[in-house]
Amino acid sequence: MVIINPTISTQPAALTRPAGPAPVLPADRVLNAVVLGERAQHLYELSSGSLRMMAESQTPLREGEQLQLRVLGKDAQQRPQLEILQRGTQDISPQLRNRLPEQLSLNQLSASLNQIRQGENPTLRQLIAPLLSSLPRRQQLSDSAGLQKALHNSGQSLEAKLASGEAPKGDIKAALLKLLATVQAQSPPPPKAGLARSYGPSNTPSPSVHAAGSAPADIATPGTASTAKSASAPQPQAASTAPAYQAPPKPLGLPGELQPQGRLPPSPPEIEGTLLSRLAHDVKGALARQDANQLLGLHSREHGGSYMIELPVRDRDGIDVWQFQFQPPRTERDHSHNERGSQHDTTQTGWTLSLSFDLPGLGAITARVTQQEKQLGIRFDAVQSDALELLRQHTPELHQRLAEKGIDVAGIDCRRRSAQALTESSYSLSALLRDQA
């Protein structure tokens, strides 16, 4: 057992420390190590050449991350203490490949939560109450301070909060993790046979693979299964007579892809055991979806691309999913010609925020706000004609309110576009995975 960054107050890891002598590491020695994985909370397995060691660290480490460590000495328990000198660029493709087959749209979880909330089982309603209380309400997003708080508690920065010692109060991802642990503790043990069929991906081909055109053939994306393996392997029969939960077809949309997510229709009534199994399945899928968005966000920040936050928002009659895509400032090169020949002028663009949602009665809407010097450009894209007319009707009021706040708006444009045209992605997910393969 070694201690990484001992200047940060460490807490006991959530797993009994492995027995045996600590590795002999002379002071001031510098070694390169690779994080093999997290074995428990704050407990990681490292590999440095032929040396394998367990490390306790309050600094979050990621699987596959390359570290350059320097030995500081030993603590009172004769455990080597190391500090991180340098952290290498992480290859996120292995984690993405692991999480993509498990990820589900947050709307699938929203449908399950709505069904339980509107049901007659007080035990299940009490079970999901902490998660529902952590979701922001639609009225909260109309206020700048409320919107900032909602994005902060979206789950995207849970690990960063824990690393800084901040209590994750109201964090959606923390609430999802707690709900999953509670549901798994209360659910009956699944049958040994047929487990993969009960909780595995649906065999229904996902239209998102063909519509997005961005998933490699060798990667199992949401809603797909490996047909080569399933064709040759015999399918075991469930040992229990209780109906096993089968995942419904996944909605369109891959992580990092800006696409309005509409509500799913309510499912038929189910027995309590099956509903608990479905809830656990949907929570796992939502957590995998958040992990994938976080991994893509890490990659985007390193390469100057956009990153996205998906936020479940409570309304009076249900839960909607709002997508926020942030594009950082970038420099664009303008190729123009004058009397002296070719000139290459550069233009610095500011932040671009894209907001995507699909509300009942309004349909899919995407709003894009672009900062150009000291002015804002706003564009609305709607699928339904009546929603487009409503946007155009309130455009003068929006322009006036922004002017009262001292915001200079260059123009507000409202357009009607098809649902497929609203789908946008700053980079191809499949290209990223192919490049890293």
Side-chain angles (χ1 to χ4, degrees):
M1 172 72 69
V2 300
I3 305 296
I4 292 181
N5 287 357
T7 54
I8 302 177
S9 58
T10 58
Q11 301 175 357
L15 183 70
T16 303
R17 293 185 178 91
V24 178
L25 299 174
D28 292 330
R29 177 183 174 183
V30 176
L31 63 155
N32 296 317
V34 177
V35 181
L36 299 181
E38 185 176 8
R39 302 302 177 235
Q41 188 177 11
H42 309 308
L43 190 64
Y44 304 87
E45 184 178 1
L46 307 181
S47 173
S48 179
S50 59
L51 178 63
R52 294 284 185 94
M53 52 188 173
M54 301 301 294
E56 187 173 340
S57 172
Q58 294 293 314
T59 302
L61 305 178
R62 300 184 295 268
E63 181 180 352
E65 186 176 11
Q66 299 180 0
L67 305 175
Q68 188 178 71
L69 306 171
R70 183 172 70 90
V71 182
L72 299 177
K74 295 183 179 181
D75 63 1
Q77 303 178 31
Q78 297 302 305
R79 299 176 301 180
Q81 296 180 323
L82 297 83
E83 67 171 344
I84 299 177
L85 297 180
Q86 185 177 353
R87 305 178 72 165
T89 302
Q90 182 198 17
D91 180 9
I92 67 171
S93 57
Q95 293 92 323
L96 275 176
R97 290 178 183 271
N98 290 335
R99 299 305 271 164
L100 278 179
E102 303 171 1
Q103 67 96 26
L104 299 174
S105 168
L106 295 182
N107 271 320
Q108 186 161 322
L109 173 62
S110 300
S112 298
L113 295 176
N114 280 329
Q115 182 176 356
I116 295 175
R117 186 176 64 168
Q118 298 171 4
E120 300 179 355
N121 191 319
T123 303
L124 292 180
R125 292 202 303 267
Q126 185 178 3
L127 191 67
I128 66 173
L131 174 60
L132 292 178
S133 64
S134 68
L135 302 183
R137 296 186 177 273
R138 181 173 59 87
Q139 294 82 357
Q140 177 183 342
L141 302 187
S142 61
D143 177 73
S144 59
L147 176 60
Q148 184 178 10
K149 181 180 178 181
L151 295 176
H152 180 70
N153 289 332
S154 64
Q156 200 84 342
S157 58
L158 173 62
E159 290 77 10
K161 293 179 185 178
L162 296 175
S164 61
E166 179 183 349
K169 183 178 180 181
D171 190 275
I172 295 178
K173 188 173 184 180
L176 284 172
L177 291 169
K178 291 179 181 179
L179 176 60
L180 179 60
T182 305
V183 171
Q184 289 177 333
Q186 296 187 10
S187 300
K192 294 183 180 180
L195 178 62
R197 295 192 53 149
S198 299
Y199 294 93
S202 168
N203 288 331
T204 304
S206 171
S208 64
V209 176
H210 306 288
S214 60
D218 60 336
I219 297 176
T221 52
T224 63
S226 178
T227 55
K229 293 183 179 179
S230 60
S232 59
Q235 299 295 337
Q237 298 296 325
S240 173
T241 57
Y245 168 64
Q246 299 292 334
K250 317 291 190 299
L252 294 174
L254 292 172
E257 187 178 68
L258 189 71
Q259 179 168 328
Q261 300 286 326
R263 293 185 188 179
L264 295 179
S267 302
E270 301 182 56
I271 62 175
E272 180 178 346
T274 307
L275 189 55
L276 278 176
S277 300
R278 190 184 73 179
L279 181 60
H281 175 271
D282 294 347
V283 171
K284 288 180 182 178
L287 286 169
R289 177 82 171 191
Q290 282 196 335
D291 289 343
N293 279 327
Q294 286 179 281
L295 289 169
L296 289 172
L298 289 173
H299 179 271
S300 298
R301 286 176 174 86
E302 292 178 358
H303 297 82
S306 66
Y307 60 95
M308 191 171 72
I309 294 178
E310 291 183 305
L311 191 64
V313 179
R314 290 185 63 181
D315 207 341
R316 290 173 297 180
D317 57 346
I319 301 174
D320 301 295
V321 176
W322 293 33
Q323 297 175 326
F324 299 81
Q325 189 179 67
F326 300 89
Q327 176 69 50
R330 62 187 185 277
T331 301
E332 295 180 347
R333 176 165 292 184
D334 178 31
H335 299 275
S336 58
H337 296 272
N338 57 17
E339 298 178 355
R340 297 183 179 181
S342 177
Q343 297 290 329
H344 302 286
D345 298 329
T346 59
T347 302
Q348 183 72 23
T349 62
W351 281 89
T352 298
L353 167 63
S354 298
L355 173 62
S356 174
F357 50 85
D358 191 331
L359 301 180
L362 293 178
I365 296 177
T366 298
R368 180 185 296 272
V369 180
T370 304
Q371 179 187 7
Q372 187 76 38
E373 295 181 351
K374 296 183 179 181
Q375 286 187 323
L376 291 183
I378 302 176
R379 191 185 79 197
F380 292 99
D381 292 306
V383 172
Q384 298 182 9
S385 56
D386 52 349
L388 179 63
E389 182 62 29
L390 185 64
L391 289 171
R392 288 174 174 171
Q393 179 182 347
H394 289 276
T395 294
E397 180 183 356
L398 175 61
H399 203 293
Q400 180 181 354
R401 288 192 177 188
L402 292 175
E404 292 174 354
K405 298 290 185 179
I407 301 176
D408 187 8
V409 178
I412 301 178
D413 188 17
C414 300
R415 307 177 186 178
R416 184 181 180 186
R417 301 176 66 181
S418 64
Q420 186 175 2
L422 292 182
T423 304
E424 297 181 10
S425 181
S426 61
Y427 53 84
S428 171
L429 180 62
S430 62
L432 167 63
L433 293 174
R434 288 195 186 103
D435 291 342
Q436 300 292 342

